[in-house]
């Protein structure tokens, strides 16, 4: 990765195509925030975006349920897919509560997210902490080599320091790096994809790009498909400028598709059809 030591995340914004992705996302988000429905019914749009985002994230983790099933179901215990959907819903609900803590202690937030995700599983001492040497990782979608515990610890600390320090990087760039780094590290024994996508959501909300959380990137990640998601992630793992730019652009398209989904929700609410 070619970056400057002073602000490595901001340096990623200079990669070819990244500025265009950032600009496209900003314009799309501004348009949906300007929709007339948002003046009085933004809470409804937020709630519907949360449900759709959770469904999309669960889909990428192997539980591809339709929206009506996610909305209808009340019991998320039992089979694996139900537990995945339940975890995604819990994480989406938790994300907005952790914004102030994220800015001060990202590692504490990540531990909390894993605890929330694993809430429906039998508790054990792997929950809510990074994995130790020799502990296995359950993340079937991501087949990249799993870094060792020492590397995970060092890179998590580096990511935390970047977030706490802030900087001038666009929100899309920071969110993409947080998402990609957590997928690459898979720091927990399970639920890493769900946690990574929730962390991306937290960055987008907390940065001010999407303060009402109405632009669910998870919808776009799911809509582009698991194969495209994995291919873009491989670009991130490569660390090459082209690969990093491709991953950021993929995340940008995902936000844009989330905007499209919420725009449709606004139109339906305006017609009285939602």
């Amino acid at each position: 990765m070619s970056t400057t030591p002073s602000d490595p995340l901001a340096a990623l914004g200079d990669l070819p195509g990244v500025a265009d992705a950032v600009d496209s996302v900003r314009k799309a988000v501004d348009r949906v925030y300007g929709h007339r429905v948002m003046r009085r019914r933004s809470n409804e749009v937020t709630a519907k975006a949360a449900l759709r985002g959770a469904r999309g994230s669960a889909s990428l983790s192997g539980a591809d349920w339709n929206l009506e099933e996610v909305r209808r179901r009340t019991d998320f215990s039992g089979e694996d897919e139900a537990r995945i959907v339940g975890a995604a819903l819990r994480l989406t609900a938790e994300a907005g509560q952790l914004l102030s803590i994220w800015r001060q202690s990202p590692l504490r937030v990540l531990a909390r997210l894993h605890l929330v995700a694993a809430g429906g599983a039998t508790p054990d001492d792997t929950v809510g902490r990074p994995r130790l040497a020799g502990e296995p990782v359950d993340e079937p979608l991501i087949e990249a080599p799993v870094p060792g515990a020492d590397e995970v610890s060092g890179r998590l600390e580096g990511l935390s320091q970047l977030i706490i320090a802030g900087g001038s990087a666009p929100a899309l760039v920071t969110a993409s790096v947080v998402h990609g780094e957590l997928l690459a590290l898979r720091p927990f024994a399970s639920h890493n994809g769900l946690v990574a996508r929730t962390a991306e959501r937290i960055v987008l909300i907390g940065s001010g790009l999407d303060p009402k959380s109405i632009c669910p990137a998870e919808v776009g990640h799911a809509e582009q498909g698991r194969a495209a998601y994995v291919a873009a992630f491989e670009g991130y793992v490569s660390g090459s400028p082209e690969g990093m730019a491709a991953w950021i652009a993929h995340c940008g398209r995902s936000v844009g598709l989330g905007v499209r989904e919420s725009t449709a929700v606004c139109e339906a609410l305006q017609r009285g059809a939602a």
Side-chain angles (χ1 to χ4, degrees):
M1 184 191 309
S2 177
T3 60
T4 59
S6 59
D7 196 348
L9 293 182
L12 294 175
D14 296 329
L15 294 176
V18 170
D20 289 341
V22 168
D23 185 57
S24 177
V25 164
R26 178 75 268 175
K27 289 177 178 176
V29 172
D30 285 348
R31 282 195 298 271
V32 71
Y33 269 84
H35 197 286
R36 62 188 303 174
V37 164
M38 289 294 295
R39 297 173 193 168
R40 296 184 180 179
R41 304 181 71 178
S42 64
N43 288 343
E44 293 176 69
V45 181
T46 296
K48 291 177 183 297
L51 189 69
R52 286 159 171 78
R55 192 218 71 82
S57 190
S59 173
L60 288 171
S61 287
D64 191 13
W65 290 14
N66 63 52
L67 187 62
E68 187 55 39
E69 176 67 8
V70 176
R71 183 186 290 115
R72 180 189 64 80
R73 182 74 74 97
T74 57
D75 180 9
F76 295 98
S77 61
E79 72 271 22
D80 289 345
E81 288 193 6
R83 289 199 295 269
I84 290 169
V85 175
L89 288 167
R90 291 192 299 272
L91 286 170
T92 300
E94 189 78 4
Q97 311 303 315
L98 298 172
L99 297 175
S100 61
I101 304 173
W102 175 261
R103 299 184 188 102
Q104 300 170 5
S105 181
L107 299 185
R108 181 179 164 195
V109 169
L110 293 175
R112 172 63 184 170
L113 292 177
H114 188 246
L115 186 65
V116 168
T122 302
D124 59 49
D125 65 359
T126 69
V127 174
R129 65 154 174 82
R131 55 188 168 80
L132 303 178
E135 290 181 340
V137 177
D138 180 16
E139 196 65 47
L141 177 62
I142 304 302
E143 297 180 354
V146 179
D150 288 344
E151 181 179 351
V152 168
S153 177
R155 287 172 63 176
L156 279 179
E157 182 60 33
L159 182 65
S160 175
Q161 290 174 3
L162 285 174
I163 293 165
I164 293 169
S168 59
L172 174 64
V173 171
T174 303
S176 300
V177 169
V178 167
H179 183 170
E181 190 70 356
L182 292 174
L183 276 186
L185 294 179
R186 279 147 291 164
F188 302 107
S190 61
H191 301 97
N192 290 287
L194 293 173
V195 168
R197 291 184 288 275
T198 305
E200 178 185 45
R201 172 185 283 267
I202 288 172
V203 174
L204 294 172
I205 298 169
S207 67
L209 177 66
D210 182 23
K212 295 183 182 294
S213 192
I214 63 167
C215 307
E218 305 96 321
V219 168
H221 288 304
E223 188 170 331
Q224 292 186 81
R226 296 177 77 181
Y229 184 71
V230 171
F233 169 67
E234 288 173 352
Y236 179 88
V237 173
S238 77
S240 70
E242 297 80 8
M244 294 294 294
W247 170 248
I248 295 168
H250 178 89
C251 292
R253 288 190 295 273
S254 295
V255 176
L257 290 168
V259 167
R260 188 177 71 178
E261 183 80 1
S262 287
T263 300
V265 166
C266 288
E267 294 294 330
L269 287 171
Q270 186 168 286
R271 296 192 306 270

